[in-house]
């Protein structure tokens, strides 16, 4: 994996452009300088002193908030480096300059941003050598290497900003020297702790294989659990699991006896951490089943969310208040659907919403977009999508629910991930 130009997870979990160099930041106007005033004339020695006249002072001005269309700065992993886009959607700057380990390799292949203070952690891949896990400040300064001896993937910072969940893959140069699985690493630095080891495959006759690898994809709001992708080490199969951070215990979402299995598509915790919304589907197919499911974390029950139309494919759900937001593709003929001749159709999705209690999806915009990644504003007011019809020029767009025109934030190749910075 570490030798590949296209940096991917073991099962293409990272679908999150190349640029000729750092994008220049849009210059800001320098603050106006005060005009020097002439010195007051000196009164003759025999003149009576004049009564002093108070000099008018400028009224104090309150600090002005930063104007912008985005709810926070946006970070884009583009061409193996991290670019910061300011809230105005225009000002941008490449904030990392990591040398690639080989001429035809991407330097940075995964990253995450702390929701607390904007601290950045990222992985610099090695070729024939372990990767580097690096921590910096929000502007890319204060670079610190946290790990240089493990093959680390997919860092994920905890809600309180203190811990990084990372995947560790097998060291094929030194088999058996490290245990693959999910680890917890203090963001301040320290020794990684194994949360859950991968399960080696032992019986090739088992359907789907009996081995599993694990990659964390989302912390629970209280930081005690992880949503994880559990992927087969034998075949193209992936499903969702909830992993207890303290014990490593895991629970798979779905009911295998009822042939109801989760698919490794974007899933979310509810804000209170009591439920998880997820898709079901055949893990071997490119698309999940239509609809969306709700898993009760404490009771383990599963129920289908009562939303219409029944055949709509729901991607990247997001909860804000009592509303469910998502990107929705209808399969009523306006979009292609799965067929044996075309197992990976390209769907067009519309930004939509529905009450959490159920109902009919309402499109919030008139346009649709093909995409492979989405990042919601916390309040559901908009979403950053990555996609487009041209694979050479991937677009990063900002879409709002008020129907205003889409804003193009970035375009290029080798775009893998976007993250919000601290507001």
């Amino acid at each position: 994996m570490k030798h590949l130009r296209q940096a991917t997870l073991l099962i293409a979990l990272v679908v999150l452009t190349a640029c000729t160099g750092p994008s220049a930041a849009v210059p800001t106007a320098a603050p106006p300088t005060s005009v020097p005033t002439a010195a007051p004339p000196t009164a003759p020695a025999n003149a009576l002193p004049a009564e002093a006249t108070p000099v008018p002072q400028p009224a104090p001005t309150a600090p002005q908030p930063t104007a912008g269309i985005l709810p926070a700065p946006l970070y884009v992993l583009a061409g193996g480096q991290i670019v910061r886009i300011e809230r105005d959607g225009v000002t941008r700057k490449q904030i990392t300059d990591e040398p690639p380990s080989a001429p035809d390799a991407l330097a940075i292949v995964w990253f995450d941003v702390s929701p607390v203070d904007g601290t950045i952690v990222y992985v610099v891949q090695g070729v024939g050598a372990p990767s580097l896990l690096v921590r910096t400040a929000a502007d890319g300064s204060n670079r610190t290497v946290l790990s240089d001896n493990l093959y680390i993937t997919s860092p994920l910072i905890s809600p309180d900003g203190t811990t990084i969940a990372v995947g560790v893959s097998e060291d094929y140069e030194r088999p058996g020297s490290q245990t693959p699985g999910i680890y917890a690493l203090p963001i301040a630095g320290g020794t990684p702790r194994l949360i859950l080891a991968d399960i080696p495959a032992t019986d090739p006759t088992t359907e789907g294989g009996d081995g599993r690898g694990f990659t964390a994809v989302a912390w629970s709001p209280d930081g005690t659990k992880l949503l994880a992708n559990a992927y087969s080490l034998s075949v193209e199969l992936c499903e969702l699991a909830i992993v207890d951070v303290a014990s490593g215990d895991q629970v798979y979402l779905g009911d295998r006896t009822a042939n109801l299995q989760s698919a490794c598509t974007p899933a979310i915790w509810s804000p209170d951490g009591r439920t998880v919304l997820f898709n079901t589907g055949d893990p071997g197919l490119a698309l999940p089943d239509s609809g969306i499911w709700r898993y009760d974390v404490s009771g383990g029950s599963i129920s289908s969310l009562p939303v219409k139309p029944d055949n709509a494919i729901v991607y990247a759900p997001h909860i804000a208040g009592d509303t469910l937001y998502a990107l929705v593709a209808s399969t009523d003929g306006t979009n292609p659907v799965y067929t044996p001749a075309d197992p990976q159709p390209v769907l067009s999705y519309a930004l939509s919403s529905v009450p959490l209690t159920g109902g009919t999806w309402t499109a919030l915009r008139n346009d649709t977009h093909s995409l492979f990644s989405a990042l919601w504003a916390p309040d559901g007011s908009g979403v950053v999508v990555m996609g487009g019809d041209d694979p050479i020029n991937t677009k990063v767009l900002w879409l709002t629910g008020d129907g205003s025109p889409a804003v193009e934030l970035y375009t290029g190749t080798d775009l893998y991930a976007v993250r919000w910075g601290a507001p």
Side-chain angles (χ1 to χ4, degrees), residues 13 154 156 165-166 182 195-196 213-230 238-245 249-254 262-270 273 275-279 293 295 297 317:
L13 299 176
S154 52
L156 199 64
V166 297
I182 300 176
I195 295 175
L196 174 62
F214 300 95
T215 301
V217 294
W219 286 88
S220 64
D222 63 3
T224 64
K225 297 179 178 63
L226 288 164
L227 265 180
N229 287 330
C238 183
E239 52 192 320
L240 285 167
I242 294 177
V243 178
D244 185 272
V245 173
D249 293 341
Q250 68 263 198
V251 176
Y252 288 85
L253 304 189
S262 58
C264 286
T265 52
I268 57 161
W269 295 92
S270 62
T275 60
V276 173
L277 297 185
F278 67 98
N279 296 113
W293 295 75
Y295 178 81
V297 174

Side-chain angles (χ1 to χ4, degrees), residues 112-119 121 154-166 183-188 195 216 218-226 245:
D112 199 20
V113 181
S114 170
V116 176
D117 59 6
T119 294
V121 294
S154 52
L156 199 64
I157 301 176
S158 61
D160 64 3
T162 64
T163 305
I164 314 166
V166 297
Y183 287 72
L185 179 69
I187 200 169
I195 295 175
W219 286 88
S220 64
D222 63 3
T224 64
K225 297 179 178 63
L226 288 164
V245 173

